[in-house]
Amino acid sequence: MKTGVYPGSFDPVTLGHVDIIERGLKIVDKLVVGILNNSAKTPMFSLDERIRLMKTACEPYGERVEIVAFSGLLVDFLKEQDSTKVIRGLRAVTDFEYELQMAQANRSLYPEMETIFLTTRAEYAYISSTVVKDVLRNGGDVSHFVPSSTLEMLYKFRR
Ligand code: ADP
């Protein structure tokens, strides 16, 4: 059985993330969504909120998707999950430089690992957690940016 890891902050989960998860499931049997607990960043949503939002968004995929919090190095999390495959999403060429650097740094720490880059549908390419947070802060409608199953919870956590 092939297990992949899809790591990120997911602050909060967007339609772009879910699209990458669906594509990832075509490549691996099981996908572990790793939600980063990064003490250097102050997220809008707490770790627990981000986990609950992601669990709700991933309900349709059943046991093929597992949501796990992690902190520290991605390569250590990969080993813990018994996986050598990292899935990352690319929105535009601007993501590429950073992603390439991360992939190469990770590989130097863990030579057996591979990073697989997937792209979303064009209509999701502009969606980011940052856009969602900006719209939320300004009282706008985020229903076109996040999974409909998470909308109510998202507003509850923020209002
Ligand atoms: P990070 O803080 O690690 O960049 P994010 O939660 O912002 O994490 O995103 C996790 C992953 O999903 C990253 O690989 C990012 O490039 C990808 N991603 C985010 N939004 C989209 C999108 N709209 N289309 C494709 N990939 C995306």
Side-chain angles (χ1 to χ4, degrees):
M1 191 171 91
K2 278 190 208 156
T3 301
V5 169
Y6 179 37
S9 313
F10 305 109
D11 181 38
V13 56
T14 68
L15 287 172
H17 295 138
V18 173
D19 193 53
I20 295 293
I21 290 169
E22 280 186 10
R23 287 169 201 282
L25 286 173
K26 294 180 191 163
I27 296 172
V28 296
D29 303 300
K30 186 183 159 193
L31 193 60
V32 176
V33 177
I35 306 203
L36 183 64
N37 188 15
N38 182 351
S39 53
K41 273 195 193 172
T42 312
M44 175 182 263
F45 297 93
S46 69
L47 180 65
D48 181 56
E49 288 170 339
R50 285 181 280 143
I51 291 172
R52 284 173 63 191
L53 289 163
M54 184 60 88
K55 281 196 171 157
T56 303
C58 291
E59 253 162 35
Y61 316 115
E63 291 184 356
R64 291 189 66 203
V65 176
E66 196 183 338
I67 321 297
V68 181
F70 80 103
S71 53
L73 291 178
L74 176 60
V75 293
D76 292 334
F77 182 59
L78 265 184
K79 289 174 191 168
E80 248 171 56
Q81 296 299 322
D82 236 339
S83 171
T84 54
K85 292 169 195 62
V86 173
I87 291 189
R88 292 285 286 176
L90 288 178
R91 277 162 289 204
V93 72
T94 43
D95 282 339
F96 185 71
E97 211 169 322
Y98 170 75
E99 291 292 341
L100 184 65
Q101 194 183 15
M102 290 300 293
Q104 287 172 338
N106 282 326
R107 185 187 279 157
S108 79
L109 295 169
Y110 185 19
E112 292 83 1
M113 72 168 274
E114 293 297 343
T115 304
I116 301 160
F117 294 108
L118 299 175
T119 55
T120 47
R121 281 203 248 167
E123 60 261 45
Y124 294 157
Y126 69 95
I127 300 177
S128 67
S129 297
T130 305
V131 166
V132 172
K133 284 181 278 191
D134 284 346
V135 175
L136 272 180
R137 275 192 203 99
N138 292 291
D141 174 12
V142 293
S143 58
H144 296 292
F145 304 147
V146 303
S148 53
S149 59
T150 67
L151 251 190
E152 204 180 318
M153 199 183 267
L154 201 67
Y155 286 123
K156 196 177 81 189
F157 288 157
R158 276 314 105 194
R159 286 188 182 157

PDB file of all heavy atoms in Angstrom, residues 5-11 33-43 45-48 50-51 54 67-74 77 88 98 102:
ATOM      1  N   VAL A   5       2.071  11.802   1.942  1.00  0.00           N
ATOM      2  CA  VAL A   5       1.839  12.827   2.959  1.00  0.00           C
ATOM      3  C   VAL A   5       1.625  14.165   2.252  1.00  0.00           C
ATOM      4  O   VAL A   5       2.423  14.555   1.393  1.00  0.00           O
ATOM      5  CB  VAL A   5       3.044  12.909   3.934  1.00  0.00           C
ATOM      6  CG1 VAL A   5       2.942  14.149   4.817  1.00  0.00           C
ATOM      7  CG2 VAL A   5       3.123  11.656   4.796  1.00  0.00           C
ATOM      8  N   TYR A   6       0.552  14.843   2.601  1.00  0.00           N
ATOM      9  CA  TYR A   6       0.273  16.184   2.062  1.00  0.00           C
ATOM     10  C   TYR A   6       0.366  17.172   3.222  1.00  0.00           C
ATOM     11  O   TYR A   6      -0.557  17.298   4.013  1.00  0.00           O
ATOM     12  CB  TYR A   6      -1.116  16.200   1.424  1.00  0.00           C
ATOM     13  CG  TYR A   6      -1.555  17.534   0.835  1.00  0.00           C
ATOM     14  CD1 TYR A   6      -0.663  18.379   0.183  1.00  0.00           C
ATOM     15  CD2 TYR A   6      -2.882  17.940   0.907  1.00  0.00           C
ATOM     16  CE1 TYR A   6      -1.081  19.581  -0.365  1.00  0.00           C
ATOM     17  CE2 TYR A   6      -3.308  19.143   0.363  1.00  0.00           C
ATOM     18  CZ  TYR A   6      -2.404  19.957  -0.277  1.00  0.00           C
ATOM     19  OH  TYR A   6      -2.814  21.146  -0.819  1.00  0.00           O
ATOM     20  N   PRO A   7       1.524  17.842   3.346  1.00  0.00           N
ATOM     21  CA  PRO A   7       1.717  18.732   4.490  1.00  0.00           C
ATOM     22  C   PRO A   7       1.334  20.181   4.167  1.00  0.00           C
ATOM     23  O   PRO A   7       1.434  20.615   3.021  1.00  0.00           O
ATOM     24  CB  PRO A   7       3.232  18.643   4.715  1.00  0.00           C
ATOM     25  CG  PRO A   7       3.777  18.466   3.328  1.00  0.00           C
ATOM     26  CD  PRO A   7       2.738  17.748   2.509  1.00  0.00           C
ATOM     27  N   GLY A   8       0.926  20.918   5.173  1.00  0.00           N
ATOM     28  CA  GLY A   8       0.640  22.332   4.985  1.00  0.00           C
ATOM     29  C   GLY A   8       0.121  22.957   6.251  1.00  0.00           C
ATOM     30  O   GLY A   8      -0.056  22.278   7.267  1.00  0.00           O
ATOM     31  N   SER A   9      -0.129  24.270   6.161  1.00  0.00           N
ATOM     32  CA  SER A   9      -0.696  24.971   7.319  1.00  0.00           C
ATOM     33  C   SER A   9      -2.220  24.834   7.323  1.00  0.00           C
ATOM     34  O   SER A   9      -2.841  24.797   8.375  1.00  0.00           O
ATOM     35  CB  SER A   9      -0.350  26.464   7.267  1.00  0.00           C
ATOM     36  OG  SER A   9       1.008  26.645   6.988  1.00  0.00           O
ATOM     37  N   PHE A  10      -2.801  24.861   6.137  1.00  0.00           N
ATOM     38  CA  PHE A  10      -4.248  24.710   5.966  1.00  0.00           C
ATOM     39  C   PHE A  10      -5.010  25.649   6.907  1.00  0.00           C
ATOM     40  O   PHE A  10      -5.853  25.215   7.686  1.00  0.00           O
ATOM     41  CB  PHE A  10      -4.670  23.242   6.150  1.00  0.00           C
ATOM     42  CG  PHE A  10      -3.921  22.300   5.257  1.00  0.00           C
ATOM     43  CD1 PHE A  10      -2.972  21.417   5.769  1.00  0.00           C
ATOM     44  CD2 PHE A  10      -4.117  22.315   3.882  1.00  0.00           C
ATOM     45  CE1 PHE A  10      -2.258  20.563   4.938  1.00  0.00           C
ATOM     46  CE2 PHE A  10      -3.405  21.464   3.032  1.00  0.00           C
ATOM     47  CZ  PHE A  10      -2.481  20.587   3.571  1.00  0.00           C
ATOM     48  N   ASP A  11      -4.698  26.941   6.776  1.00  0.00           N
ATOM     49  CA  ASP A  11      -5.231  27.961   7.694  1.00  0.00           C
ATOM     50  C   ASP A  11      -6.110  28.949   6.950  1.00  0.00           C
ATOM     51  O   ASP A  11      -5.692  30.092   6.761  1.00  0.00           O
ATOM     52  CB  ASP A  11      -4.039  28.674   8.368  1.00  0.00           C
ATOM     53  CG  ASP A  11      -4.476  29.729   9.367  1.00  0.00           C
ATOM     54  OD1 ASP A  11      -5.475  29.493  10.063  1.00  0.00           O
ATOM     55  OD2 ASP A  11      -3.821  30.786   9.458  1.00  0.00           O
ATOM     56  N   VAL A  33      -2.900  13.807   5.614  1.00  0.00           N
ATOM     57  CA  VAL A  33      -2.823  15.263   5.542  1.00  0.00           C
ATOM     58  C   VAL A  33      -2.164  15.728   6.839  1.00  0.00           C
ATOM     59  O   VAL A  33      -2.709  15.550   7.926  1.00  0.00           O
ATOM     60  CB  VAL A  33      -4.224  15.895   5.366  1.00  0.00           C
ATOM     61  CG1 VAL A  33      -4.125  17.423   5.361  1.00  0.00           C
ATOM     62  CG2 VAL A  33      -4.876  15.392   4.083  1.00  0.00           C
ATOM     63  N   GLY A  34      -0.970  16.281   6.715  1.00  0.00           N
ATOM     64  CA  GLY A  34      -0.202  16.712   7.887  1.00  0.00           C
ATOM     65  C   GLY A  34      -0.451  18.194   8.142  1.00  0.00           C
ATOM     66  O   GLY A  34      -0.112  19.031   7.310  1.00  0.00           O
ATOM     67  N   ILE A  35      -1.055  18.500   9.270  1.00  0.00           N
ATOM     68  CA  ILE A  35      -1.360  19.896   9.581  1.00  0.00           C
ATOM     69  C   ILE A  35      -0.286  20.437  10.504  1.00  0.00           C
ATOM     70  O   ILE A  35      -0.096  19.951  11.616  1.00  0.00           O
ATOM     71  CB  ILE A  35      -2.770  20.034  10.186  1.00  0.00           C
ATOM     72  CG1 ILE A  35      -3.766  19.370   9.221  1.00  0.00           C
ATOM     73  CG2 ILE A  35      -3.096  21.499  10.468  1.00  0.00           C
ATOM     74  CD1 ILE A  35      -5.174  19.821   9.320  1.00  0.00           C
ATOM     75  N   LEU A  36       0.425  21.425   9.979  1.00  0.00           N
ATOM     76  CA  LEU A  36       1.616  21.913  10.665  1.00  0.00           C
ATOM     77  C   LEU A  36       1.276  22.799  11.854  1.00  0.00           C
ATOM     78  O   LEU A  36       0.539  23.783  11.733  1.00  0.00           O
ATOM     79  CB  LEU A  36       2.478  22.699   9.662  1.00  0.00           C
ATOM     80  CG  LEU A  36       3.805  23.234  10.192  1.00  0.00           C
ATOM     81  CD1 LEU A  36       4.738  22.093  10.585  1.00  0.00           C
ATOM     82  CD2 LEU A  36       4.473  24.106   9.151  1.00  0.00           C
ATOM     83  N   ASN A  37       1.835  22.430  12.979  1.00  0.00           N
ATOM     84  CA  ASN A  37       1.728  23.241  14.190  1.00  0.00           C
ATOM     85  C   ASN A  37       3.041  24.004  14.313  1.00  0.00           C
ATOM     86  O   ASN A  37       4.007  23.492  14.847  1.00  0.00           O
ATOM     87  CB  ASN A  37       1.506  22.306  15.392  1.00  0.00           C
ATOM     88  CG  ASN A  37       1.193  23.069  16.650  1.00  0.00           C
ATOM     89  OD1 ASN A  37       0.863  24.248  16.595  1.00  0.00           O
ATOM     90  ND2 ASN A  37       1.282  22.389  17.782  1.00  0.00           N
ATOM     91  N   ASN A  38       3.060  25.195  13.726  1.00  0.00           N
ATOM     92  CA  ASN A  38       4.301  25.952  13.615  1.00  0.00           C
ATOM     93  C   ASN A  38       4.295  27.103  14.622  1.00  0.00           C
ATOM     94  O   ASN A  38       3.524  28.043  14.488  1.00  0.00           O
ATOM     95  CB  ASN A  38       4.415  26.488  12.174  1.00  0.00           C
ATOM     96  CG  ASN A  38       5.699  27.255  11.942  1.00  0.00           C
ATOM     97  OD1 ASN A  38       6.440  27.532  12.876  1.00  0.00           O
ATOM     98  ND2 ASN A  38       5.960  27.589  10.691  1.00  0.00           N
ATOM     99  N   SER A  39       5.163  27.013  15.602  1.00  0.00           N
ATOM    100  CA  SER A  39       5.149  28.028  16.663  1.00  0.00           C
ATOM    101  C   SER A  39       5.645  29.384  16.155  1.00  0.00           C
ATOM    102  O   SER A  39       5.401  30.413  16.771  1.00  0.00           O
ATOM    103  CB  SER A  39       5.972  27.551  17.854  1.00  0.00           C
ATOM    104  OG  SER A  39       7.250  27.170  17.421  1.00  0.00           O
ATOM    105  N   ALA A  40       6.329  29.394  14.997  1.00  0.00           N
ATOM    106  CA  ALA A  40       6.841  30.654  14.461  1.00  0.00           C
ATOM    107  C   ALA A  40       5.749  31.455  13.746  1.00  0.00           C
ATOM    108  O   ALA A  40       5.893  32.650  13.530  1.00  0.00           O
ATOM    109  CB  ALA A  40       7.991  30.383  13.509  1.00  0.00           C
ATOM    110  N   LYS A  41       4.668  30.790  13.360  1.00  0.00           N
ATOM    111  CA  LYS A  41       3.583  31.476  12.642  1.00  0.00           C
ATOM    112  C   LYS A  41       2.384  31.606  13.569  1.00  0.00           C
ATOM    113  O   LYS A  41       2.106  30.694  14.340  1.00  0.00           O
ATOM    114  CB  LYS A  41       3.139  30.622  11.432  1.00  0.00           C
ATOM    115  CG  LYS A  41       3.915  30.856  10.160  1.00  0.00           C
ATOM    116  CD  LYS A  41       3.142  30.231   9.000  1.00  0.00           C
ATOM    117  CE  LYS A  41       3.946  30.115   7.729  1.00  0.00           C
ATOM    118  NZ  LYS A  41       3.223  29.339   6.708  1.00  0.00           N
ATOM    119  N   THR A  42       1.671  32.720  13.471  1.00  0.00           N
ATOM    120  CA  THR A  42       0.427  32.833  14.246  1.00  0.00           C
ATOM    121  C   THR A  42      -0.736  32.649  13.284  1.00  0.00           C
ATOM    122  O   THR A  42      -1.035  33.533  12.488  1.00  0.00           O
ATOM    123  CB  THR A  42       0.311  34.213  14.927  1.00  0.00           C
ATOM    124  OG1 THR A  42       1.560  34.467  15.571  1.00  0.00           O
ATOM    125  CG2 THR A  42      -0.806  34.232  15.946  1.00  0.00           C
ATOM    126  N   PRO A  43      -1.367  31.493  13.328  1.00  0.00           N
ATOM    127  CA  PRO A  43      -2.455  31.245  12.382  1.00  0.00           C
ATOM    128  C   PRO A  43      -3.742  31.951  12.810  1.00  0.00           C
ATOM    129  O   PRO A  43      -3.886  32.329  13.974  1.00  0.00           O
ATOM    130  CB  PRO A  43      -2.636  29.730  12.461  1.00  0.00           C
ATOM    131  CG  PRO A  43      -2.149  29.358  13.814  1.00  0.00           C
ATOM    132  CD  PRO A  43      -1.129  30.365  14.223  1.00  0.00           C
ATOM    133  N   PHE A  45      -6.643  30.410  12.491  1.00  0.00           N
ATOM    134  CA  PHE A  45      -7.397  29.312  13.091  1.00  0.00           C
ATOM    135  C   PHE A  45      -6.451  28.452  13.933  1.00  0.00           C
ATOM    136  O   PHE A  45      -5.334  28.159  13.496  1.00  0.00           O
ATOM    137  CB  PHE A  45      -8.065  28.466  11.995  1.00  0.00           C
ATOM    138  CG  PHE A  45      -9.069  29.252  11.204  1.00  0.00           C
ATOM    139  CD1 PHE A  45      -8.706  29.890  10.038  1.00  0.00           C
ATOM    140  CD2 PHE A  45     -10.370  29.394  11.665  1.00  0.00           C
ATOM    141  CE1 PHE A  45      -9.627  30.660   9.321  1.00  0.00           C
ATOM    142  CE2 PHE A  45     -11.297  30.153  10.964  1.00  0.00           C
ATOM    143  CZ  PHE A  45     -10.923  30.785   9.786  1.00  0.00           C
ATOM    144  N   SER A  46      -6.926  28.061  15.107  1.00  0.00           N
ATOM    145  CA  SER A  46      -6.081  27.243  15.983  1.00  0.00           C
ATOM    146  C   SER A  46      -5.845  25.884  15.319  1.00  0.00           C
ATOM    147  O   SER A  46      -6.562  25.499  14.382  1.00  0.00           O
ATOM    148  CB  SER A  46      -6.764  27.049  17.335  1.00  0.00           C
ATOM    149  OG  SER A  46      -7.895  26.210  17.179  1.00  0.00           O
ATOM    150  N   LEU A  47      -4.881  25.159  15.850  1.00  0.00           N
ATOM    151  CA  LEU A  47      -4.588  23.833  15.299  1.00  0.00           C
ATOM    152  C   LEU A  47      -5.841  22.962  15.337  1.00  0.00           C
ATOM    153  O   LEU A  47      -6.185  22.302  14.350  1.00  0.00           O
ATOM    154  CB  LEU A  47      -3.455  23.186  16.108  1.00  0.00           C
ATOM    155  CG  LEU A  47      -3.033  21.797  15.656  1.00  0.00           C
ATOM    156  CD1 LEU A  47      -2.429  21.831  14.260  1.00  0.00           C
ATOM    157  CD2 LEU A  47      -2.049  21.188  16.647  1.00  0.00           C
ATOM    158  N   ASP A  48      -6.536  23.001  16.464  1.00  0.00           N
ATOM    159  CA  ASP A  48      -7.737  22.183  16.623  1.00  0.00           C
ATOM    160  C   ASP A  48      -8.810  22.584  15.597  1.00  0.00           C
ATOM    161  O   ASP A  48      -9.463  21.727  14.998  1.00  0.00           O
ATOM    162  CB  ASP A  48      -8.252  22.351  18.057  1.00  0.00           C
ATOM    163  CG  ASP A  48      -9.472  21.506  18.307  1.00  0.00           C
ATOM    164  OD1 ASP A  48      -9.375  20.282  18.092  1.00  0.00           O
ATOM    165  OD2 ASP A  48     -10.531  22.059  18.690  1.00  0.00           O
ATOM    166  N   ARG A  50      -8.265  24.034  12.675  1.00  0.00           N
ATOM    167  CA  ARG A  50      -7.799  23.632  11.329  1.00  0.00           C
ATOM    168  C   ARG A  50      -8.007  22.140  11.108  1.00  0.00           C
ATOM    169  O   ARG A  50      -8.365  21.704  10.013  1.00  0.00           O
ATOM    170  CB  ARG A  50      -6.321  24.014  11.154  1.00  0.00           C
ATOM    171  CG  ARG A  50      -6.129  25.520  10.940  1.00  0.00           C
ATOM    172  CD  ARG A  50      -4.690  25.894  10.754  1.00  0.00           C
ATOM    173  NE  ARG A  50      -3.965  25.983  11.996  1.00  0.00           N
ATOM    174  CZ  ARG A  50      -2.695  25.609  12.171  1.00  0.00           C
ATOM    175  NH1 ARG A  50      -2.004  25.120  11.162  1.00  0.00           N
ATOM    176  NH2 ARG A  50      -2.120  25.722  13.345  1.00  0.00           N
ATOM    177  N   ILE A  51      -7.803  21.351  12.168  1.00  0.00           N
ATOM    178  CA  ILE A  51      -8.018  19.908  12.063  1.00  0.00           C
ATOM    179  C   ILE A  51      -9.506  19.611  11.849  1.00  0.00           C
ATOM    180  O   ILE A  51      -9.865  18.817  10.968  1.00  0.00           O
ATOM    181  CB  ILE A  51      -7.490  19.188  13.324  1.00  0.00           C
ATOM    182  CG1 ILE A  51      -5.966  19.254  13.367  1.00  0.00           C
ATOM    183  CG2 ILE A  51      -7.983  17.737  13.385  1.00  0.00           C
ATOM    184  CD1 ILE A  51      -5.347  18.736  14.658  1.00  0.00           C
ATOM    185  N   MET A  54     -10.535  20.518   8.327  1.00  0.00           N
ATOM    186  CA  MET A  54     -10.000  19.566   7.349  1.00  0.00           C
ATOM    187  C   MET A  54     -10.731  18.229   7.436  1.00  0.00           C
ATOM    188  O   MET A  54     -11.044  17.606   6.412  1.00  0.00           O
ATOM    189  CB  MET A  54      -8.493  19.389   7.565  1.00  0.00           C
ATOM    190  CG  MET A  54      -7.811  18.496   6.550  1.00  0.00           C
ATOM    191  SD  MET A  54      -7.954  19.081   4.831  1.00  0.00           S
ATOM    192  CE  MET A  54      -6.526  20.148   4.703  1.00  0.00           C
ATOM    193  N   ILE A  67      -6.117  12.690   8.929  1.00  0.00           N
ATOM    194  CA  ILE A  67      -5.673  14.043   9.270  1.00  0.00           C
ATOM    195  C   ILE A  67      -4.832  13.946  10.543  1.00  0.00           C
ATOM    196  O   ILE A  67      -5.312  13.462  11.567  1.00  0.00           O
ATOM    197  CB  ILE A  67      -6.876  14.985   9.565  1.00  0.00           C
ATOM    198  CG1 ILE A  67      -8.062  14.740   8.619  1.00  0.00           C
ATOM    199  CG2 ILE A  67      -6.458  16.445   9.601  1.00  0.00           C
ATOM    200  CD1 ILE A  67      -7.818  14.990   7.185  1.00  0.00           C
ATOM    201  N   VAL A  68      -3.577  14.388  10.449  1.00  0.00           N
ATOM    202  CA  VAL A  68      -2.664  14.259  11.589  1.00  0.00           C
ATOM    203  C   VAL A  68      -1.906  15.575  11.790  1.00  0.00           C
ATOM    204  O   VAL A  68      -1.393  16.146  10.826  1.00  0.00           O
ATOM    205  CB  VAL A  68      -1.634  13.114  11.333  1.00  0.00           C
ATOM    206  CG1 VAL A  68      -0.689  12.960  12.511  1.00  0.00           C
ATOM    207  CG2 VAL A  68      -2.325  11.797  11.033  1.00  0.00           C
ATOM    208  N   ALA A  69      -1.844  16.056  13.021  1.00  0.00           N
ATOM    209  CA  ALA A  69      -1.063  17.269  13.304  1.00  0.00           C
ATOM    210  C   ALA A  69       0.411  16.895  13.414  1.00  0.00           C
ATOM    211  O   ALA A  69       0.739  15.785  13.837  1.00  0.00           O
ATOM    212  CB  ALA A  69      -1.529  17.883  14.616  1.00  0.00           C
ATOM    213  N   PHE A  70       1.287  17.808  12.999  1.00  0.00           N
ATOM    214  CA  PHE A  70       2.714  17.552  13.220  1.00  0.00           C
ATOM    215  C   PHE A  70       3.457  18.858  13.458  1.00  0.00           C
ATOM    216  O   PHE A  70       2.992  19.929  13.111  1.00  0.00           O
ATOM    217  CB  PHE A  70       3.332  16.757  12.059  1.00  0.00           C
ATOM    218  CG  PHE A  70       3.685  17.575  10.832  1.00  0.00           C
ATOM    219  CD1 PHE A  70       5.010  17.919  10.569  1.00  0.00           C
ATOM    220  CD2 PHE A  70       2.713  17.988   9.941  1.00  0.00           C
ATOM    221  CE1 PHE A  70       5.351  18.658   9.432  1.00  0.00           C
ATOM    222  CE2 PHE A  70       3.037  18.732   8.803  1.00  0.00           C
ATOM    223  CZ  PHE A  70       4.355  19.058   8.549  1.00  0.00           C
ATOM    224  N   SER A  71       4.608  18.714  14.092  1.00  0.00           N
ATOM    225  CA  SER A  71       5.482  19.869  14.248  1.00  0.00           C
ATOM    226  C   SER A  71       6.894  19.363  14.008  1.00  0.00           C
ATOM    227  O   SER A  71       7.134  18.157  13.974  1.00  0.00           O
ATOM    228  CB  SER A  71       5.336  20.472  15.645  1.00  0.00           C
ATOM    229  OG  SER A  71       5.533  19.476  16.602  1.00  0.00           O
ATOM    230  N   GLY A  72       7.813  20.264  13.804  1.00  0.00           N
ATOM    231  CA  GLY A  72       9.182  19.828  13.546  1.00  0.00           C
ATOM    232  C   GLY A  72       9.398  19.554  12.078  1.00  0.00           C
ATOM    233  O   GLY A  72       8.683  20.075  11.218  1.00  0.00           O
ATOM    234  N   LEU A  73      10.365  18.703  11.790  1.00  0.00           N
ATOM    235  CA  LEU A  73      10.776  18.488  10.399  1.00  0.00           C
ATOM    236  C   LEU A  73       9.816  17.572   9.652  1.00  0.00           C
ATOM    237  O   LEU A  73       9.379  16.543  10.178  1.00  0.00           O
ATOM    238  CB  LEU A  73      12.170  17.855  10.366  1.00  0.00           C
ATOM    239  CG  LEU A  73      13.347  18.734  10.812  1.00  0.00           C
ATOM    240  CD1 LEU A  73      14.640  17.922  10.765  1.00  0.00           C
ATOM    241  CD2 LEU A  73      13.469  19.974   9.928  1.00  0.00           C
ATOM    242  N   LEU A  74       9.551  17.964   8.405  1.00  0.00           N
ATOM    243  CA  LEU A  74       8.685  17.137   7.555  1.00  0.00           C
ATOM    244  C   LEU A  74       9.269  15.741   7.378  1.00  0.00           C
ATOM    245  O   LEU A  74       8.538  14.748   7.378  1.00  0.00           O
ATOM    246  CB  LEU A  74       8.486  17.829   6.196  1.00  0.00           C
ATOM    247  CG  LEU A  74       7.696  17.058   5.151  1.00  0.00           C
ATOM    248  CD1 LEU A  74       6.284  16.739   5.639  1.00  0.00           C
ATOM    249  CD2 LEU A  74       7.637  17.823   3.837  1.00  0.00           C
ATOM    250  N   PHE A  77       8.359  13.542  10.171  1.00  0.00           N
ATOM    251  CA  PHE A  77       6.935  13.178  10.098  1.00  0.00           C
ATOM    252  C   PHE A  77       6.721  12.077   9.047  1.00  0.00           C
ATOM    253  O   PHE A  77       5.974  11.121   9.270  1.00  0.00           O
ATOM    254  CB  PHE A  77       6.117  14.430   9.774  1.00  0.00           C
ATOM    255  CG  PHE A  77       4.633  14.190   9.711  1.00  0.00           C
ATOM    256  CD1 PHE A  77       3.940  13.682  10.805  1.00  0.00           C
ATOM    257  CD2 PHE A  77       3.913  14.489   8.560  1.00  0.00           C
ATOM    258  CE1 PHE A  77       2.562  13.469  10.749  1.00  0.00           C
ATOM    259  CE2 PHE A  77       2.544  14.283   8.502  1.00  0.00           C
ATOM    260  CZ  PHE A  77       1.865  13.773   9.593  1.00  0.00           C
ATOM    261  N   ARG A  88       2.700  18.047  -2.915  1.00  0.00           N
ATOM    262  CA  ARG A  88       2.543  19.492  -2.748  1.00  0.00           C
ATOM    263  C   ARG A  88       1.787  20.018  -3.963  1.00  0.00           C
ATOM    264  O   ARG A  88       1.829  19.438  -5.047  1.00  0.00           O
ATOM    265  CB  ARG A  88       3.911  20.185  -2.654  1.00  0.00           C
ATOM    266  CG  ARG A  88       4.684  19.853  -1.403  1.00  0.00           C
ATOM    267  CD  ARG A  88       4.162  20.543  -0.167  1.00  0.00           C
ATOM    268  NE  ARG A  88       4.491  21.958  -0.131  1.00  0.00           N
ATOM    269  CZ  ARG A  88       4.055  22.781   0.831  1.00  0.00           C
ATOM    270  NH1 ARG A  88       3.266  22.339   1.795  1.00  0.00           N
ATOM    271  NH2 ARG A  88       4.411  24.051   0.813  1.00  0.00           N
ATOM    272  N   TYR A  98      10.227  28.390  -4.310  1.00  0.00           N
ATOM    273  CA  TYR A  98      10.182  28.006  -2.896  1.00  0.00           C
ATOM    274  C   TYR A  98       9.999  26.494  -2.762  1.00  0.00           C
ATOM    275  O   TYR A  98      10.696  25.826  -1.977  1.00  0.00           O
ATOM    276  CB  TYR A  98       9.030  28.755  -2.212  1.00  0.00           C
ATOM    277  CG  TYR A  98       8.720  28.278  -0.821  1.00  0.00           C
ATOM    278  CD1 TYR A  98       9.555  28.609   0.244  1.00  0.00           C
ATOM    279  CD2 TYR A  98       7.593  27.496  -0.563  1.00  0.00           C
ATOM    280  CE1 TYR A  98       9.266  28.176   1.525  1.00  0.00           C
ATOM    281  CE2 TYR A  98       7.298  27.053   0.720  1.00  0.00           C
ATOM    282  CZ  TYR A  98       8.139  27.385   1.755  1.00  0.00           C
ATOM    283  OH  TYR A  98       7.862  26.949   3.011  1.00  0.00           O
ATOM    284  N   MET A 102      12.519  23.713  -1.024  1.00  0.00           N
ATOM    285  CA  MET A 102      12.079  22.853   0.079  1.00  0.00           C
ATOM    286  C   MET A 102      12.282  21.384  -0.277  1.00  0.00           C
ATOM    287  O   MET A 102      12.761  20.582   0.531  1.00  0.00           O
ATOM    288  CB  MET A 102      10.587  23.068   0.380  1.00  0.00           C
ATOM    289  CG  MET A 102      10.243  24.388   1.003  1.00  0.00           C
ATOM    290  SD  MET A 102      11.069  24.640   2.567  1.00  0.00           S
ATOM    291  CE  MET A 102      10.250  23.384   3.518  1.00  0.00           C
TER     292      MET A 102
END
